[in-house]
Amino acid sequence: MKFSLNHSIQSYPDLLIVPIAKQEASLRCLESIGKITNVPLEVLKTDFEATHKESQTLYFQENGTNKRIVLLGLGKQPGFKEIISAFRSFGYRRKSSLPASTGVSFIFGNVEENAALWVEAAVNGLELGNYEIGLYKTDTDEKATPATDLAVQVFVAQNEKEAAQIAIDRGIKIAATQMEIFDLVNAPSNKKTPQTLADWAMRSGKKHDYAVQVLNQKEIEELGLHGLLAVNRGSENPPTFIIMEYRPSSPAKKKIGLVGKGVTFDTGGLSIKPSANMHYMKSDMGGAAAVMGTLEMAAKLQLPFHIMGVVPATDNSVDAKSVKPGDVIGSYDGKTIEVIDTDAEGRLILADGLAYTVRHFNPDILIDLATLTGSCIRTLGTYAGGLFSNNDELANDLLASGQSTGERLWQLPIWEEYRNEMKSDVADIKNFSGAPSAGAITAAKFLEAFIQDHPVWAHMDIAGVAVSDSEFSSQKSATAFGVRLMTQYLQQLAEKKA
Ligand code: BES
Ligand code: ZN
Ligand code: ZN
């Protein structure tokens, strides 16, 4: 899609989308649409209620040509997320039928403030609506032709144009990265090995000009990443340890370390998972994907931070060589770990990732993202990721970014009492308390033991949000959760006064 900006409508595009929230002020907007289309306001009001994702097509003629206006409902007090989803839903439903000349208007009094934000959401949503999940379908009839050749005119007030241009650019850029992340997370495990993640990072690094280093099995052994090696023991695919590094062209405001769980498939290992939902464990690298997407966005937007993204990648498989419950393993940090449950593998590889990042990079801020626990899903459902932090300022900044992007977080405590549950009789720490309670928190406490006492650390458990039910697929599919959240967080941080 190509987007262009205009502040007035000389001639109507074949289809003009007018997003409208459910509020008093929308009446004025409906009134002007009514005049253009010759529909009385009373009729418009009854037929279109502006509920979220509702759409109503109106037809009229301009100089003898047929034109359409589509009223797109946004619901009451729509946030950024609701505007995106309304446009994505519309774009998805109309993927094959949008005319080459399409427009989106924000100049009918349908936007009260911050038009740029609406523009970014609209552009992002329309682009995402084009996402095609059926990568492996051979029957092309089943695939809708994506609306890639569209020329979309965006209409905003003259004084909003500059901000809107930036918004269009951001909406396009983030959508492209999000769709890459969808593909990565949705990819099945037989098409996605630790090397696949490494290849993605190298390709992205080349394209967007940031450095990527990939450590192979031998280098991982030499370094002593014993957590990663233990999880990888049962796998036919060697592990990779991916280190992405983005440097801004001007002096960096801060150093930021990001670590993502890159489990390309989690069978549970010998503590094997039940079969019912095991197929979703192809998405157990959602944290890694979020980190990779964030690095790519930082490079695309030239954010003023020196950022290191670290991804320990492996699958967690069943084999004679697999690590066994009760085994004691080492770690990069030097601590010994008793592996009570081989399904608590994410924390083993993150332990190495976190310790490595602090020792080699010494960041000002340390953040990890991981599809870490079923417990987090039982706690928050699929409506928020779990947030754990030892630093209030960092936690509040992340919560605020979660709120404004709609990729919501909810903070849980990491009180010292929970740490006691991770004490091992035989080793320095165990990977599972054995109790069915507070599993997301005890997992966070385990990670905390490996951050080398870093004072500004946050962990996000995105198990419930990395994939979700939606109208875009019959099964749960990727959300790219974390990419928008982290991009927003970094942008806010860049503007923040020291
Ligand atoms: N990858 C899972 C967590 C998960 C579960 C993510 C469901 C997405 C959906 C993780 O490795 C895991 O299995 N965690 C265990 C830990 C337990 C054995 C201590 C869990 O949460 O059940
Ligand atoms: Zn697991
Ligand atoms: Zn896992």
Side-chain angles (χ1 to χ4, degrees):
M1 283 184 206
K2 285 214 166 53
F3 294 88
S4 60
L5 265 180
N6 256 305
H7 61 269
S8 67
I9 303 177
Q10 303 302 330
S11 148
Y12 279 86
D14 292 342
L15 185 152
L16 182 67
I17 308 167
V18 182
I20 301 180
K22 196 184 179 108
Q23 62 199 29
E24 272 304 299
S26 302
L27 283 184
R28 266 181 288 130
C29 167
L30 283 187
E31 207 164 22
S32 33
I33 305 282
K35 280 187 192 132
I36 301 162
T37 54
N38 244 329
V39 182
L41 181 61
E42 284 313 307
V43 178
L44 270 186
K45 261 171 33 186
T46 25
D47 286 11
F48 178 72
E49 295 181 39
T51 55
H52 190 226
K53 297 186 187 176
E54 177 185 359
S55 72
Q56 175 71 53
T57 309
L58 308 170
Y59 301 89
F60 67 105
Q61 286 213 328
E62 186 189 46
N63 305 326
T65 11
N66 295 316
K67 305 274 162 117
R68 302 178 193 84
I69 285 184
V70 176
L71 305 175
L72 180 60
L74 300 177
K76 260 191 193 144
Q77 292 180 330
F80 196 52
K81 186 186 185 177
E82 287 73 36
I83 305 175
I84 294 175
S85 55
F87 274 93
R88 181 174 178 190
S89 176
F90 178 79
Y92 178 76
R93 283 182 276 131
R94 301 285 284 264
K95 187 153 41 180
S96 319
S97 65
L98 282 179
S101 144
T102 290
V104 186
S105 175
F106 300 93
I107 53 173
F108 289 117
N110 50 332
V111 187
E112 290 201 324
E113 53 187 26
N114 213 346
L117 207 69
W118 285 48
V119 170
E120 182 181 341
V123 169
N124 187 249
L126 285 177
E127 289 277 1
L128 293 180
N130 255 331
Y131 178 68
E132 178 55 67
I133 197 168
L135 283 188
Y136 309 106
K137 285 187 190 295
T138 56
D139 182 352
T140 39
D141 287 352
E142 265 201 66
K143 291 190 187 184
T145 0
T148 40
D149 297 332
L150 284 194
V152 183
Q153 297 184 62
V154 178
F155 299 97
V156 293
Q158 175 81 32
N159 63 345
E160 305 266 20
K161 265 176 136 176
E162 199 180 322
Q165 190 55 56
I166 297 171
I168 289 178
D169 184 56
R170 277 179 44 141
I172 295 174
K173 279 184 173 153
I174 195 155
T177 297
Q178 285 171 314
M179 289 192 278
E180 290 268 338
I181 299 307
F182 291 166
D183 275 345
L184 263 184
V185 174
N186 289 333
S189 111
N190 65 332
K191 312 256 184 219
K192 176 171 65 189
T193 65
Q195 189 58 44
T196 315
L197 297 190
D199 292 343
W200 188 96
M202 288 193 291
R203 242 183 301 119
S204 168
K206 272 212 184 80
K207 190 164 173 202
H208 303 290
D209 197 27
Y210 62 92
V212 177
Q213 188 194 357
V214 177
L215 307 185
N216 61 26
Q217 171 128 30
K218 194 163 157 279
E219 292 160 320
I220 290 168
E221 282 165 4
E222 282 163 8
L223 256 181
L225 299 171
H226 300 295
L228 178 56
L229 289 165
V231 176
N232 185 254
R233 279 187 61 86
S235 174
E236 61 172 338
N237 307 305
T240 58
F241 192 76
I242 307 163
I243 305 156
M244 293 159 280
E245 191 171 359
Y246 161 75
R247 283 170 197 274
S249 44
S250 46
K253 286 196 162 182
K254 274 190 162 73
K255 284 167 74 178
I256 299 184
L258 305 177
V259 184
K261 171 178 172 181
V263 173
T264 52
F265 194 88
D266 183 10
T267 67
L270 291 175
S271 315
I272 197 164
K273 286 182 181 293
S275 58
N277 283 314
M278 202 202 270
H279 63 290
Y280 286 127
M281 286 301 115
K282 67 180 185 179
S283 63
D284 208 17
M285 32 58 74
V291 167
M292 290 155 70
T294 304
L295 258 286
E296 182 169 289
M297 282 312 297
K300 279 189 187 176
L301 299 177
Q302 294 283 296
L303 299 181
F305 301 107
H306 184 185
I307 308 176
M308 182 182 270
V310 168
V311 169
T314 177
D315 55 29
N316 184 23
S317 293
V318 181
D319 185 81
K321 289 190 182 147
S322 294
V323 62
K324 299 180 189 69
D327 283 0
V328 174
I329 63 168
S331 65
Y332 179 67
D333 158 277
K335 288 189 188 68
T336 53
I337 304 169
E338 183 183 11
V339 180
I340 298 292
D341 193 311
T342 65
D343 197 10
E345 84 298 340
R347 62 197 76 181
L348 301 178
I349 69 171
L350 287 171
D352 284 352
L354 287 164
Y356 177 93
T357 306
V358 178
R359 287 198 188 164
H360 286 255
F361 188 55
N362 190 26
D364 299 304
I365 297 172
L366 177 67
I367 300 174
D368 72 78
L369 293 106
T371 48
L372 203 61
T373 67
S375 163
C376 191
I377 311 178
R378 288 189 292 277
T379 307
L380 298 172
T382 55
Y383 308 110
L387 174 67
F388 308 81
S389 181
N390 60 4
N391 184 282
D392 287 346
E393 187 181 352
L394 173 59
N396 290 334
D397 287 351
L398 287 168
L399 286 169
S401 298
Q403 204 58 41
S404 65
T405 57
E407 293 190 348
R408 276 184 304 200
L409 297 169
W410 194 259
Q411 192 173 5
L412 294 168
I414 48 169
W415 298 314
E416 229 17 66
E417 286 87 336
Y418 294 106
R419 174 71 175 81
N420 297 334
E421 299 193 23
M422 305 308 275
K423 279 193 180 142
S424 162
D425 291 332
V426 298
D428 295 328
I429 191 167
K430 58 185 177 188
N431 78 333
F432 175 40
S433 70
S437 51
I441 301 177
T442 50
K445 290 307 279 185
F446 180 93
L447 298 182
E448 193 188 30
F450 294 89
I451 62 173
Q452 321 295 303
D453 294 321
H454 197 288
V456 191
W457 161 70
H459 154 60
M460 287 176 239
D461 191 334
I462 60 169
V465 288
V467 292
S468 78
D469 290 316
S470 73
E471 68 207 88
F472 312 116
S473 53
S474 66
Q475 300 268 312
K476 287 179 194 294
S477 61
T479 60
F481 187 102
V483 175
R484 183 173 280 291
L485 169 73
M486 284 304 299
T487 305
Q488 170 74 10
Y489 163 73
L490 292 171
Q491 271 177 323
Q492 289 291 114
L493 191 64
E495 282 158 25
K496 199 167 165 176
K497 294 203 181 72

